[in-house]
Coordinates of all heavy atoms in Angstrom, one line a residue:
M991 N -11.0 -14.6 3.0 CA -11.0 -13.9 1.7 C -12.5 -14.2 1.2 O -13.0 -15.2 1.4 CB -10.0 -14.5 0.7 CG -10.0 -13.8 -0.5 SD -8.6 -14.1 -1.6 CE -7.2 -14.6 -0.6
A992 N -12.9 -13.3 0.5 CA -14.2 -13.4 -0.2 C -14.1 -12.9 -1.7 O -13.3 -12.0 -2.1 CB -15.2 -12.5 0.5
T993 N -15.0 -13.4 -2.5 CA -15.1 -12.9 -3.9 C -16.3 -12.0 -3.9 O -17.4 -12.4 -3.4 CB -15.3 -14.1 -4.8 OG1 -14.1 -14.9 -4.7 CG2 -15.5 -13.6 -6.3
V994 N -16.1 -10.8 -4.4 CA -17.2 -9.9 -4.4 C -17.6 -9.4 -5.8 O -16.6 -9.4 -6.7 CB -16.9 -8.6 -3.5 CG1 -16.8 -9.1 -2.1 CG2 -15.7 -8.0 -4.0
K995 N -18.8 -9.1 -6.0 CA -19.2 -8.5 -7.4 C -18.8 -7.1 -7.4 O -19.2 -6.4 -6.4 CB -20.7 -8.7 -7.5 CG -21.2 -8.3 -9.0 CD -22.7 -8.4 -9.1 CE -23.3 -9.5 -8.4 NZ -24.8 -9.7 -8.6
V996 N -18.1 -6.6 -8.3 CA -17.7 -5.1 -8.5 C -18.8 -4.4 -9.3 O -19.1 -4.7 -10.5 CB -16.3 -5.0 -9.1 CG1 -16.0 -3.6 -9.3 CG2 -15.3 -5.8 -8.4
L997 N -19.5 -3.4 -8.6 CA -20.5 -2.7 -9.3 C -20.1 -1.4 -9.9 O -20.6 -0.9 -10.9 CB -21.7 -2.5 -8.3 CG -22.3 -3.7 -7.7 CD1 -23.4 -3.3 -6.7 CD2 -22.9 -4.5 -8.9
A998 N -19.1 -0.8 -9.2 CA -18.5 0.5 -9.7 C -17.1 0.6 -9.2 O -16.7 0.1 -8.2 CB -19.3 1.6 -9.2
V999 N -16.3 1.3 -10.0 CA -14.9 1.7 -9.8 C -14.7 3.2 -10.0 O -15.1 3.7 -10.9 CB -13.9 0.9 -10.7 CG1 -12.5 1.2 -10.4 CG2 -14.2 -0.6 -10.5
A1000 N -14.2 3.8 -9.0 CA -13.9 5.3 -9.0 C -12.6 5.6 -9.9 O -12.7 6.6 -10.6 CB -13.8 5.9 -7.6
R1001 N -11.7 4.8 -9.7 CA -10.4 5.1 -10.4 C -9.9 3.8 -11.0 O -9.9 2.7 -10.3 CB -9.4 5.7 -9.6 CG -9.8 7.1 -9.2 CD -8.9 7.8 -8.2 NE -7.4 7.8 -8.7 CZ -6.4 8.2 -8.0 NH1 -6.6 8.8 -6.9 NH2 -5.2 8.2 -8.5
G1002 N -9.4 3.7 -12.2 CA -8.9 2.5 -12.7 C -10.1 1.8 -13.5 O -11.1 2.3 -13.8
Q1003 N -9.8 0.6 -13.9 CA -10.7 -0.3 -14.5 C -11.3 -1.4 -13.7 O -10.6 -2.0 -12.9 CB -10.1 -0.8 -15.9 CG -9.7 0.2 -16.9 CD -9.2 -0.5 -18.1 OE1 -8.8 -1.7 -18.1 NE2 -9.1 0.3 -19.2
A1004 N -12.5 -1.7 -13.9 CA -13.2 -2.9 -13.2 C -12.6 -4.1 -13.8 O -12.2 -4.1 -15.0 CB -14.6 -2.8 -13.4
P1005 N -12.4 -5.2 -13.0 CA -11.9 -6.4 -13.5 C -12.9 -6.9 -14.6 O -14.2 -6.7 -14.6 CB -12.0 -7.4 -12.4 CG -12.5 -6.6 -11.2 CD -12.8 -5.2 -11.6
T1006 N -12.4 -7.5 -15.6 CA -13.1 -8.0 -16.8 C -14.2 -9.0 -16.3 O -15.3 -9.1 -16.9 CB -12.3 -8.6 -17.9 OG1 -11.4 -9.6 -17.3 CG2 -11.4 -7.4 -18.5
S1007 N -13.9 -9.8 -15.3 CA -14.9 -10.8 -14.8 C -16.1 -10.1 -14.0 O -17.0 -10.8 -13.8 CB -14.1 -11.8 -13.9 OG -13.8 -11.2 -12.7
G1008 N -15.9 -8.9 -13.7 CA -16.9 -8.3 -12.8 C -16.8 -8.7 -11.3 O -17.6 -8.3 -10.5
E1009 N -15.8 -9.4 -11.0 CA -15.6 -9.9 -9.6 C -14.2 -9.6 -9.1 O -13.3 -9.5 -10.0 CB -15.9 -11.3 -9.5 CG -17.4 -11.7 -9.7 CD -17.7 -13.2 -9.5 OE1 -16.7 -14.0 -9.5 OE2 -18.8 -13.5 -9.4
A1010 N -14.0 -9.5 -7.9 CA -12.6 -9.3 -7.4 C -12.5 -10.0 -6.0 O -13.5 -10.3 -5.3 CB -12.3 -7.8 -7.1
S1011 N -11.3 -10.4 -5.7 CA -11.1 -11.1 -4.4 C -10.8 -10.0 -3.3 O -10.0 -9.1 -3.6 CB -9.9 -12.1 -4.5 OG -10.2 -13.2 -5.3
L1012 N -11.4 -10.2 -2.2 CA -11.3 -9.2 -1.2 C -10.7 -9.9 0.1 O -11.3 -10.9 0.6 CB -12.6 -8.6 -0.9 CG -12.6 -7.5 0.3 CD1 -11.7 -6.3 0.0 CD2 -14.0 -7.1 0.5
R1013 N -9.6 -9.5 0.5 CA -8.9 -10.2 1.7 C -9.3 -9.3 3.0 O -9.1 -8.1 3.0 CB -7.5 -10.2 1.6 CG -6.8 -10.9 2.8 CD -5.3 -11.1 2.5 NE -5.2 -12.1 1.5 CZ -4.0 -12.5 1.0 NH1 -2.9 -11.8 1.3 NH2 -4.0 -13.4 0.1
F1014 N -9.8 -10.0 4.0 CA -10.2 -9.3 5.2 C -10.1 -10.2 6.3 O -10.4 -11.5 6.2 CB -11.6 -8.6 5.1 CG -12.7 -9.4 4.9 CD1 -13.5 -10.0 5.9 CD2 -13.0 -9.9 3.6 CE1 -14.5 -10.8 5.6 CE2 -14.0 -10.8 3.2 CZ -14.8 -11.2 4.3
S1015 N -10.0 -9.7 7.5 CA -10.1 -10.5 8.7 C -11.5 -10.7 9.2 O -12.2 -9.6 9.1 CB -9.3 -9.9 9.9 OG -9.3 -10.8 11.0
T1016 N -12.0 -11.9 9.5 CA -13.4 -12.1 9.7 C -13.6 -12.8 11.0 O -12.7 -13.3 11.7 CB -14.0 -13.0 8.5 OG1 -15.4 -13.1 8.8 CG2 -13.5 -14.4 8.5
Y1017 N -14.8 -12.8 11.5 CA -15.2 -13.5 12.7 C -16.6 -14.1 12.4 O -17.3 -13.7 11.6 CB -15.2 -12.5 14.0 CG -16.3 -11.4 13.9 CD1 -17.5 -11.6 14.6 CD2 -16.0 -10.2 13.4 CE1 -18.5 -10.7 14.6 CE2 -16.9 -9.2 13.3 CZ -18.1 -9.5 13.9 OH -19.1 -8.4 13.9
D1018 N -16.9 -15.1 13.2 CA -18.3 -15.7 13.0 C -18.6 -16.3 14.4 O -18.0 -16.1 15.4 CB -18.4 -16.7 11.9 CG -17.3 -17.8 12.0 OD1 -16.8 -18.1 13.2 OD2 -16.8 -18.4 10.9
E1019 N -19.6 -17.2 14.4 CA -20.1 -17.9 15.6 C -18.9 -18.8 16.2 O -18.9 -19.0 17.4 CB -21.3 -18.7 15.2 CG -22.5 -17.9 14.9 CD -22.5 -17.3 13.5 OE1 -21.8 -17.9 12.6 OE2 -23.2 -16.3 13.4
K1020 N -18.0 -19.3 15.3 CA -16.9 -20.1 15.8 C -15.7 -19.4 16.1 O -14.8 -19.8 17.0 CB -16.7 -21.3 14.8 CG -17.8 -22.1 14.6 CD -17.4 -23.1 13.5 CE -18.6 -23.9 13.0 NZ -18.4 -24.8 11.9
T1021 N -15.5 -18.2 15.5 CA -14.2 -17.4 15.7 C -14.5 -16.1 16.3 O -15.3 -15.3 15.7 CB -13.6 -17.2 14.4 OG1 -13.4 -18.4 13.6 CG2 -12.2 -16.5 14.5
P1022 N -14.1 -15.9 17.6 CA -14.4 -14.6 18.3 C -13.7 -13.4 17.6 O -12.7 -13.6 16.9 CB -14.0 -14.9 19.6 CG -13.0 -15.9 19.6 CD -13.3 -16.8 18.4
E1023 N -14.3 -12.3 17.9 CA -13.6 -11.0 17.5 C -12.3 -10.8 18.2 O -12.2 -11.3 19.4 CB -14.5 -9.8 17.7 CG -15.7 -9.8 17.0 CD -16.5 -8.5 17.2 OE1 -16.0 -7.4 16.8 OE2 -17.6 -8.6 17.9
S1024 N -11.3 -10.2 17.5 CA -10.0 -10.1 18.2 C -10.0 -8.7 18.9 O -10.9 -7.9 18.6 CB -8.8 -10.1 17.1 OG -8.9 -9.0 16.2
D1025 N -9.1 -8.5 19.8 CA -9.0 -7.3 20.5 C -8.4 -6.2 19.7 O -8.7 -5.0 19.9 CB -8.2 -7.4 21.9 CG -9.0 -8.3 22.8 OD1 -10.2 -8.4 22.8 OD2 -8.2 -8.9 23.6
G1026 N -7.6 -6.5 18.8 CA -6.9 -5.5 17.9 C -7.2 -5.7 16.4 O -7.5 -6.8 16.0
G1027 N -7.0 -4.7 15.6 CA -7.1 -4.8 14.2 C -8.6 -4.8 13.8 O -9.5 -4.9 14.6
L1028 N -8.8 -4.6 12.5 CA -10.1 -4.6 11.9 C -10.6 -6.0 11.6 O -9.9 -6.6 10.8 CB -10.2 -3.6 10.7 CG -9.8 -2.2 11.0 CD1 -9.7 -1.4 9.7 CD2 -10.8 -1.5 12.0
Q1029 N -11.8 -6.3 11.9 CA -12.5 -7.5 11.5 C -13.9 -7.2 10.9 O -14.5 -6.2 11.4 CB -12.5 -8.5 12.7 CG -11.2 -9.1 13.0 CD -11.5 -10.2 14.1 OE1 -12.0 -10.0 15.1 NE2 -11.0 -11.4 13.8
Y1030 N -14.3 -8.0 10.1 CA -15.7 -7.7 9.5 C -16.4 -9.1 9.5 O -15.8 -10.1 9.3 CB -15.5 -7.2 8.0 CG -14.6 -6.0 7.9 CD1 -13.3 -6.1 7.7 CD2 -15.2 -4.8 8.2 CE1 -12.4 -4.9 7.6 CE2 -14.4 -3.6 8.2 CZ -13.0 -3.7 7.9 OH -12.3 -2.6 7.8
K1031 N -17.7 -9.0 9.5 CA -18.6 -10.1 9.4 C -19.6 -9.7 8.2 O -20.5 -9.0 8.4 CB -19.4 -10.4 10.6 CG -20.2 -11.6 10.5 CD -20.8 -11.9 11.8 CE -21.6 -13.2 11.7 NZ -22.2 -13.5 13.1
I1032 N -19.1 -10.0 6.9 CA -19.9 -9.6 5.8 C -21.0 -10.7 5.5 O -20.6 -11.9 5.2 CB -19.0 -9.4 4.6 CG1 -18.0 -8.2 4.9 CG2 -19.7 -9.0 3.4 CD1 -17.0 -8.0 3.9
R1033 N -22.2 -10.2 5.4 CA -23.3 -11.2 5.0 C -23.4 -11.2 3.6 O -23.0 -10.3 2.8 CB -24.6 -10.7 5.7 CG -24.6 -10.7 7.2 CD -25.9 -10.2 7.8 NE -26.2 -8.9 7.4 CZ -25.8 -7.7 8.1 NH1 -25.2 -7.9 9.3 NH2 -26.0 -6.5 7.6
S1034 N -23.8 -12.3 3.0 CA -23.8 -12.5 1.5 C -24.7 -11.5 0.8 O -24.4 -11.2 -0.4 CB -24.3 -13.9 1.2 OG -25.6 -14.1 1.6
Q1035 N -25.6 -10.8 1.4 CA -26.5 -9.9 0.7 C -26.1 -8.5 0.9 O -26.7 -7.5 0.4 CB -28.0 -10.0 1.1 CG -28.5 -11.4 0.5 CD -28.3 -11.7 -0.9 OE1 -28.7 -10.9 -1.7 NE2 -27.9 -12.9 -1.2
D1036 N -25.1 -8.2 1.8 CA -24.7 -6.9 2.1 C -23.9 -6.2 0.9 O -23.4 -6.9 0.1 CB -23.7 -6.8 3.3 CG -24.4 -6.8 4.6 OD1 -25.7 -6.8 4.6 OD2 -23.7 -6.9 5.6
C1037 N -23.9 -4.9 0.8 CA -23.0 -4.2 0.0 C -21.8 -3.8 0.8 O -21.9 -3.6 1.9 CB -23.8 -3.0 -0.5 SG -25.1 -3.3 -1.6
A1038 N -20.7 -3.5 0.0 CA -19.5 -3.0 0.7 C -18.9 -1.9 -0.1 O -19.0 -1.9 -1.3 CB -18.5 -4.1 0.8
L1039 N -18.5 -0.9 0.5 CA -17.7 0.2 0.0 C -16.3 0.0 0.5 O -16.0 -0.1 1.6 CB -18.2 1.5 0.5 CG -17.4 2.9 0.2 CD1 -17.4 3.0 -1.3 CD2 -17.9 4.0 0.9
V1040 N -15.4 -0.2 -0.6 CA -14.1 -0.6 -0.3 C -13.1 0.4 -0.9 O -13.2 0.7 -2.1 CB -13.8 -2.0 -0.8 CG1 -12.3 -2.5 -0.6 CG2 -14.8 -3.1 -0.3
F1041 N -12.0 0.8 -0.1 CA -11.0 1.6 -0.7 C -9.8 0.7 -0.6 O -9.4 0.2 0.3 CB -10.6 2.8 0.1 CG -11.8 3.8 0.1 CD1 -12.9 3.9 0.9 CD2 -11.7 4.8 -0.8 CE1 -13.9 4.8 0.8 CE2 -12.7 5.8 -0.9 CZ -13.7 5.8 -0.1
A1042 N -9.2 0.4 -1.9 CA -8.1 -0.4 -1.9 C -7.1 0.1 -3.1 O -7.5 0.9 -4.0 CB -8.5 -1.8 -2.3
D1043 N -5.8 -0.3 -3.0 CA -4.9 0.1 -4.0 C -5.1 -0.5 -5.3 O -4.8 0.0 -6.4 CB -3.5 -0.1 -3.5 CG -3.2 0.8 -2.3 OD1 -3.7 1.9 -2.3 OD2 -2.3 0.4 -1.5
S1044 N -5.6 -1.8 -5.4 CA -5.8 -2.5 -6.5 C -6.7 -3.6 -6.3 O -7.2 -3.9 -5.2 CB -4.5 -3.0 -7.0 OG -4.0 -4.2 -6.2
F1045 N -7.0 -4.4 -7.4 CA -7.9 -5.5 -7.3 C -7.0 -6.8 -7.0 O -7.6 -7.9 -7.0 CB -8.6 -5.7 -8.6 CG -9.7 -4.7 -8.8 CD1 -9.7 -3.8 -9.7 CD2 -10.9 -4.8 -7.9 CE1 -10.7 -2.8 -9.8 CE2 -11.9 -3.9 -8.1 CZ -11.8 -2.9 -9.0
E1046 N -5.8 -6.7 -6.8 CA -5.0 -7.8 -6.4 C -5.5 -8.3 -5.0 O -6.1 -7.6 -4.3 CB -3.5 -7.4 -6.4 CG -2.9 -6.9 -7.7 CD -3.1 -8.0 -8.8 OE1 -2.9 -9.1 -8.5 OE2 -3.5 -7.6 -10.0
Q1047 N -4.9 -9.4 -4.6 CA -5.4 -10.1 -3.4 C -4.7 -9.4 -2.2 O -4.1 -10.1 -1.5 CB -5.2 -11.5 -3.5 CG -6.1 -12.2 -4.4 CD -5.9 -13.7 -4.4 OE1 -5.1 -14.2 -3.7 NE2 -6.7 -14.4 -5.2
G1048 N -4.9 -8.1 -2.1 CA -4.3 -7.4 -0.9 C -5.3 -7.0 0.1 O -6.5 -7.4 -0.1
W1049 N -4.9 -6.4 1.1 CA -5.8 -5.8 2.1 C -6.3 -4.5 1.8 O -5.6 -3.6 1.4 CB -5.1 -5.9 3.4 CG -4.6 -7.1 3.9 CD1 -3.4 -7.8 3.6 CD2 -5.3 -8.1 4.8 NE1 -3.4 -9.0 4.3 CE2 -4.5 -9.2 5.0 CE3 -6.5 -8.0 5.4 CZ2 -4.9 -10.2 5.8 CZ3 -7.0 -9.0 6.3 CH2 -6.1 -10.2 6.4
P1050 N -7.7 -4.3 2.0 CA -8.2 -2.9 1.7 C -7.7 -2.0 2.7 O -7.5 -2.3 3.9 CB -9.7 -3.2 1.7 CG -9.9 -4.3 2.6 CD -8.7 -5.2 2.4
S1051 N -7.7 -0.7 2.4 CA -7.3 0.3 3.4 C -8.5 0.8 4.2 O -8.4 1.3 5.3 CB -6.6 1.5 2.7 OG -7.3 2.0 1.6
A1052 N -9.6 0.5 3.7 CA -10.9 0.9 4.4 C -12.0 0.0 3.8 O -12.1 -0.3 2.6 CB -11.3 2.4 4.3
L1053 N -13.0 -0.4 4.6 CA -14.1 -1.2 4.2 C -15.3 -0.9 5.0 O -15.2 -0.9 6.4 CB -13.7 -2.6 4.4 CG -14.7 -3.7 3.8 CD1 -14.0 -4.9 3.3 CD2 -15.8 -4.0 4.8
W1054 N -16.3 -0.6 4.5 CA -17.7 -0.4 5.1 C -18.6 -1.3 4.6 O -18.6 -1.6 3.3 CB -18.2 1.0 5.0 CG -17.4 2.1 5.7 CD1 -17.6 2.5 7.0 CD2 -16.4 2.9 5.1 NE1 -16.7 3.5 7.2 CE2 -15.9 3.7 6.2 CE3 -15.8 2.9 3.9 CZ2 -14.9 4.6 6.0 CZ3 -14.7 3.8 3.7 CH2 -14.3 4.7 4.7
Q1055 N -19.6 -1.8 5.3 CA -20.6 -2.8 4.8 C -22.0 -2.4 5.4 O -22.1 -1.7 6.3 CB -20.3 -4.2 5.3 CG -20.3 -4.4 6.8 CD -19.7 -5.6 7.2 OE1 -18.8 -6.2 6.6 NE2 -20.2 -6.1 8.4
G1056 N -22.9 -2.9 4.7 CA -24.3 -2.7 5.1 C -25.3 -2.8 3.9 O -24.9 -3.3 2.9
T1057 N -26.5 -2.4 4.2 CA -27.5 -2.5 3.1 C -27.2 -1.4 2.1 O -26.5 -0.4 2.3 CB -29.0 -2.2 3.7 OG1 -29.0 -0.9 4.2 CG2 -29.2 -3.2 4.8
P1058 N -27.8 -1.6 0.8 CA -27.6 -0.5 -0.1 C -27.9 0.9 0.4 O -27.2 1.8 0.1 CB -28.5 -0.9 -1.3 CG -28.5 -2.4 -1.2 CD -28.6 -2.7 0.2
V1059 N -29.0 1.0 1.1 CA -29.4 2.4 1.6 C -28.4 2.9 2.6 O -28.0 4.0 2.6 CB -30.9 2.2 2.4 CG1 -31.2 3.5 3.1 CG2 -31.9 1.9 1.3
E1060 N -27.9 2.0 3.5 CA -26.8 2.4 4.4 C -25.5 2.9 3.8 O -24.9 3.8 4.0 CB -26.5 1.3 5.4 CG -27.7 1.0 6.3 CD -27.4 -0.3 7.1 OE1 -26.7 -1.3 6.6 OE2 -28.0 -0.4 8.2
I1061 N -25.2 2.2 2.7 CA -23.9 2.5 1.9 C -24.2 3.9 1.2 O -23.3 4.7 1.2 CB -23.6 1.4 1.0 CG1 -23.2 0.2 1.7 CG2 -22.4 1.8 0.1 CD1 -22.0 0.3 2.6
V1062 N -25.3 4.1 0.6 CA -25.6 5.4 0.0 C -25.5 6.5 1.0 O -24.9 7.6 0.8 CB -27.0 5.4 -0.7 CG1 -27.4 6.9 -1.1 CG2 -26.9 4.5 -1.9
K1063 N -26.1 6.3 2.2 CA -26.0 7.4 3.2 C -24.6 7.6 3.6 O -24.2 8.8 3.9 CB -26.8 6.9 4.5 CG -28.4 7.1 4.2 CD -29.1 6.7 5.5 CE -30.6 6.7 5.2 NZ -31.3 6.3 6.4
L1064 N -23.8 6.6 3.7 CA -22.4 6.7 4.1 C -21.6 7.5 3.0 O -20.9 8.4 3.3 CB -21.7 5.3 4.2 CG -20.2 5.3 4.4 CD1 -19.8 5.9 5.7 CD2 -19.7 4.0 4.3
I1065 N -21.9 7.2 1.7 CA -21.1 7.9 0.7 C -21.7 9.4 0.7 O -20.7 10.2 0.6 CB -21.5 7.3 -0.7 CG1 -20.9 5.9 -0.8 CG2 -21.1 8.3 -1.9 CD1 -21.4 5.0 -2.0
Q1066 N -22.8 9.7 1.0 CA -23.3 11.1 1.0 C -22.6 11.8 2.2 O -22.2 12.9 2.1 CB -24.8 11.1 1.1 CG -25.6 10.8 -0.1 CD -27.0 10.5 0.1 OE1 -27.5 10.3 1.2 NE2 -27.8 10.7 -1.1
S1067 N -22.5 11.1 3.3 CA -21.9 11.6 4.5 C -20.3 11.9 4.3 O -19.9 12.9 4.6 CB -22.0 10.7 5.7 OG -21.3 11.1 6.8
L1068 N -19.7 10.9 3.6 CA -18.3 11.2 3.2 C -18.1 12.3 2.2 O -17.3 13.1 2.5 CB -17.7 9.9 2.6 CG -17.5 8.7 3.5 CD1 -17.1 7.5 2.7 CD2 -16.4 9.0 4.6
A1069 N -19.0 12.5 1.3 CA -18.9 13.5 0.3 C -19.1 14.9 1.0 O -18.4 15.8 0.7 CB -19.9 13.3 -0.8
N1070 N -20.1 14.9 1.9 CA -20.4 16.2 2.7 C -19.3 16.6 3.5 O -19.0 17.7 3.7 CB -21.7 15.9 3.5 CG -23.0 15.9 2.6 OD1 -23.0 16.4 1.5 ND2 -24.0 15.3 3.2
S1071 N -18.6 15.6 4.1 CA -17.4 15.9 4.9 C -16.3 16.5 4.1 O -15.5 17.2 4.7 CB -17.0 14.7 5.7 OG -16.3 13.8 4.9
F1072 N -16.4 16.3 2.8 CA -15.3 17.0 2.0 C -15.8 18.2 1.3 O -15.3 18.8 0.4 CB -14.8 15.9 0.9 CG -13.9 14.9 1.5 CD1 -14.4 13.6 1.7 CD2 -12.6 15.2 1.8 CE1 -13.5 12.7 2.3 CE2 -11.8 14.3 2.4 CZ -12.2 13.0 2.6
G1073 N -17.1 18.6 1.6 CA -17.7 19.8 1.1 C -18.2 19.6 -0.3 O -18.4 20.7 -1.0
T1074 N -18.6 18.3 -0.7 CA -19.2 18.2 -2.1 C -20.6 17.8 -1.8 O -21.1 17.5 -0.7 CB -18.6 17.1 -2.8 OG1 -18.6 15.8 -2.1 CG2 -17.1 17.5 -3.1
N1075 N -21.4 17.8 -2.9 CA -22.8 17.5 -2.8 C -23.1 16.2 -3.6 O -23.6 16.3 -4.8 CB -23.7 18.6 -3.3 CG -25.1 18.6 -2.9 OD1 -25.5 17.6 -2.2 ND2 -25.9 19.5 -3.3
A1076 N -22.8 15.1 -3.0 CA -22.9 13.9 -3.8 C -24.4 13.4 -3.8 O -25.2 13.6 -2.8 CB -22.2 12.7 -3.0
G1077 N -24.8 12.9 -4.9 CA -26.2 12.3 -5.0 C -27.3 13.4 -5.2 O -28.4 13.1 -5.3
A1078 N -26.9 14.6 -5.4 CA -27.8 15.7 -5.6 C -28.2 15.9 -7.0 O -27.4 15.6 -7.9 CB -27.4 17.0 -4.9

C-alpha cells in the first residue's frame, strides 16, 4: 500500500487531506514479479493515473505510472481513442 498525493479528481471530491491510500501489488529487488496478476513498482517521484471506485483502501481497477510527460501522453492517447481532443 502507498500513500499518494491527489492532484486531480475527475468525478467526486478529492480527499480533504489531499492524499489517498492506494493498494497495489508490488515487486522490488527482494520480491520477484509474479506470473499472474498486475504488479507495479512505483518510484517515489513518478506520477500515476489511477481509475478507482473510491478513495477507500481498495484496489484500483487500472493504474499507469511514469513521468509527468509520459502520463500526459497516455491521457492524450486515451482521449484520442474515444474520439475526443484532450489537451488541445
Side-chain angles (χ1 to χ4, degrees):
M991 184 167 339
T993 301
V994 295
K995 187 184 320 181
V996 177
L997 299 177
V999 176
R1001 292 174 56 183
Q1003 293 182 345
T1006 55
S1007 68
E1009 295 182 344
S1011 294
L1012 177 62
R1013 181 176 289 175
F1014 61 95
S1015 182
T1016 185
Y1017 66 94
D1018 57 25
E1019 292 75 25
K1020 297 177 187 174
T1021 308
E1023 291 183 72
S1024 68
D1025 291 335
L1028 298 175
Q1029 287 187 304
Y1030 305 96
K1031 186 174 184 180
I1032 300 177
R1033 296 176 302 263
S1034 63
Q1035 298 304 312
D1036 275 357
C1037 290
L1039 173 62
V1040 180
F1041 289 88
D1043 291 333
S1044 73
F1045 286 108
E1046 301 300 319
Q1047 295 180 356
W1049 295 86
S1051 52
L1053 185 151
W1054 290 273
Q1055 64 192 26
T1057 66
V1059 170
E1060 291 169 333
I1061 295 298
V1062 168
K1063 287 181 182 179
L1064 172 67
I1065 292 168
Q1066 290 170 335
S1067 174
L1068 289 170
N1070 289 339
S1071 71
F1072 287 102
T1074 62
N1075 192 2

